Amino acid sequence: MSTSPDSPLFQPFQIGALALRNRIVMAPLTRSRSSDDGIPPDYAAVYYAQRASAGLIVSEATNISAQARGYALTPGIWNAAQVTAWQRVTRAVHSVGGLIVLQLWHTGRISHPSLQPGGALPVAPSAIKPTGQAFTNEGMQDHVTPRALSTGETQAIVEDYRHAATCAREAGFDGVEIHSANNYLLEQFLRDSTNLRTDQYGGSLENRLRFPLEVARVVIDAWGGGDRVGIRISPTTTMPGVTPLDRDVMGTYGTYLDALSALGLAYVHTIEGVTQQTRDHPADVDFAALRKRFSGAWIGNNNYTTELAEKAIAENSADAFSFGRNFIANPDLVDRLRNGGPLAESPKEYWYGGNSVGYSDWPGMDGQIRIAV
Ligand SMILES: Cc1cc2nc3c(=O)[nH]c(=O)nc-3n(C[C@H](O)[C@H](O)[C@H](O)COP(=O)(O)O)c2cc1C
């Protein structure tokens, strides 16, 4: 990746109430190092602070409740012990002038009974089994057919979002990002292939949007406004399978973005193509047109290079850009991009699970590992 240190990528940029020192965002990265109780480890504070030269850090996806959990060793944000643990992280990031928002997560059907309280079935808008496997304490296990939520339960989950958003505030985060991507619970409600409900949460597009918009409203409420609240979307994802998830992506997401814009969210964080896999997407999906439906900031993601990002700024098709995999082994990624420094690559074995090795021990370009926070 080559660029100039004077590139707009490295200039300050305002997103809602967040004053970013550059337009490089650290994408949310699940690293599976939390305890079974959803407590991130002490060394997570080191890891995040090492990466705080990003204009904004989006935390790893964090469960809003015990039921939200779909992967072993992921953190939570619904009780006092979790809030205390996250306070260490936010203090560390702030001590070096960084900004960090928490990604709020409910996995819905992308879970497994062994990860659910009492071994219960995972919940979803409709009882449709996802393809693939869940990462559990006993290794990879096939997904199961989830249980369809009752109308009342759906409303209870909206309240779980409110509570988790409040906990994130107490934990000292600068804001929150609602995870509405990659076919987790919110997207399961949005898509016509995963939502076959006949109550007010299914059927028409208006009904399919109801649950995600109720969630957005309560999260905004918990934060006293939308200027510290963002949302992540993945209009062209095929996850967890290979087939498109709905019949009218532009219709679904155009209307969704109109409504999110009216709510005054600070930003939309979009995955273009399918996360990690490809930037390719169906020809009838026009990301530049979707961007025009939203009045706040637009963060682009997926296989970005600095060249692609500069082109997007010039064309006004995105304002800021998140990098995921490149942040794993390059804590000083912003400096490396600015100076054309070499990019280290992390072996995949360190991505998920383990300890501080391959996590908070990656050196900067000067060969030093920053450990004090
Ligand atoms: C190890 C790993 C963990 C991830 N965890 C999350 C996550 O918790 N939440 C999320 O929205 N995306 C997650 N993603 C997707 C990334 O945020 C991002 O979309 C993806 O890596 C593509 O960006 P990149 O090409 O810059 O790596 C993860 C990706 C990787 C590689």
Side-chain angles (χ1 to χ4, degrees):
M1 295 195 219
S2 74
T3 186
S4 136
D6 303 326
S7 161
L9 276 177
F10 307 110
Q11 309 304 318
F13 189 76
Q14 191 77 25
I15 294 186
L18 305 172
L20 279 62
R21 43 186 168 187
N22 56 62
R23 298 182 191 230
I24 310 288
V25 174
M26 178 174 162
L29 293 170
T30 292
R31 302 298 307 277
S32 314
R33 282 158 167 91
S34 294
S35 71
D36 250 356
D37 299 331
I39 312 279
D42 286 353
Y43 52 83
V46 178
Y47 162 79
Y48 279 111
Q50 287 169 337
R51 288 154 181 78
S53 56
L56 178 67
I57 295 172
V58 183
S59 82
E60 64 209 273
T62 302
N63 303 305
I64 61 155
S65 64
Q67 181 202 59
R69 199 163 162 249
Y71 295 76
L73 309 176
T74 49
I77 187 75
W78 72 86
N79 66 36
Q82 293 160 352
V83 167
T84 303
W86 280 118
Q87 278 167 346
R88 284 198 302 268
V89 171
T90 59
R91 266 200 299 270
V93 169
H94 292 155
S95 73
V96 285
L99 289 173
I100 180 166
V101 297
L102 178 101
Q103 192 183 47
L104 294 168
W105 198 22
H106 192 308
T107 59
R109 67 183 188 141
I110 312 291
S111 182
H112 188 272
S114 70
L115 297 163
Q116 290 291 310
L121 285 176
V123 296
S126 302
I128 303 169
K129 181 181 163 178
T131 56
Q133 296 189 311
F135 171 58
T136 74
N137 285 321
E138 294 80 41
M140 301 305 291
Q141 297 194 62
D142 287 348
H143 285 304
V144 300
T145 303
R147 181 175 64 78
L149 288 160
S150 71
T151 307
E153 284 176 304
T154 302
Q155 281 155 4
I157 296 176
V158 172
E159 289 310 311
D160 287 343
Y161 271 96
R162 184 196 299 278
H163 175 67
T166 305
C167 289
R169 253 187 116 164
E170 280 167 27
F173 283 95
D174 297 290
V176 284
E177 175 175 294
I178 300 165
H179 198 338
S180 176
N182 298 342
N183 207 243
Y184 296 116
L185 186 65
L186 268 61
E187 201 181 308
Q188 291 160 29
F189 271 90
L190 277 179
R191 303 288 201 169
D192 62 10
S193 66
T194 47
N195 182 345
L196 307 178
R197 298 178 72 88
T198 53
D199 65 357
Q200 69 263 39
Y201 291 106
S204 65
L205 175 57
E206 189 189 351
N207 282 355
R208 283 187 279 122
L209 294 179
R210 191 179 310 281
F211 176 71
L213 292 175
E214 283 181 1
V215 167
R217 276 193 210 98
V218 297
V219 171
I220 289 171
D221 204 35
W223 276 79
D227 57 358
R228 290 176 181 273
V229 180
I231 193 159
R232 191 164 215 214
I233 60 171
S234 54
T236 55
T237 192
T238 51
M239 287 172 70
V242 291
T243 44
L245 291 166
D246 70 30
R247 282 171 291 191
D248 181 13
V249 173
M250 289 303 282
T252 299
Y253 278 87
T255 308
Y256 192 29
L257 288 163
D258 289 344
L260 294 170
S261 196
L263 289 178
L265 286 189
Y267 72 82
V268 166
H269 184 181
T270 317
I271 298 165
E272 298 157 32
V274 183
T275 177
Q276 296 186 52
Q277 296 173 30
T278 177
R279 290 185 54 79
D280 292 345
H281 55 79
D284 61 338
V285 178
D286 179 351
F287 278 95
L290 289 176
R291 191 255 183 282
K292 294 200 179 86
R293 307 286 282 263
F294 183 75
S295 58
W298 194 263
I299 305 175
N301 171 254
N302 202 20
N303 283 290
Y304 262 94
T305 60
T306 49
E307 290 85 350
L308 260 178
E310 283 168 358
K311 186 164 170 278
I313 293 177
E315 291 170 353
N316 196 26
S317 58
D319 300 306
F321 307 89
S322 74
F323 291 82
R325 285 162 292 181
N326 278 326
F327 262 110
I328 294 179
N330 302 284
D332 53 352
L333 180 65
V334 175
D335 276 347
R336 295 190 198 217
L337 295 179
R338 188 191 283 119
N339 301 317
L343 294 183
E345 245 182 73
S346 164
K348 276 196 177 170
E349 67 198 80
Y350 295 129
W351 287 16
Y352 304 104
N355 48 31
S356 61
V357 177
Y359 178 75
S360 51
D361 62 353
W362 289 100
M365 270 193 298
D366 58 4
Q368 303 295 311
I369 303 170
R370 213 177 143 273
I371 48 166
V373 289

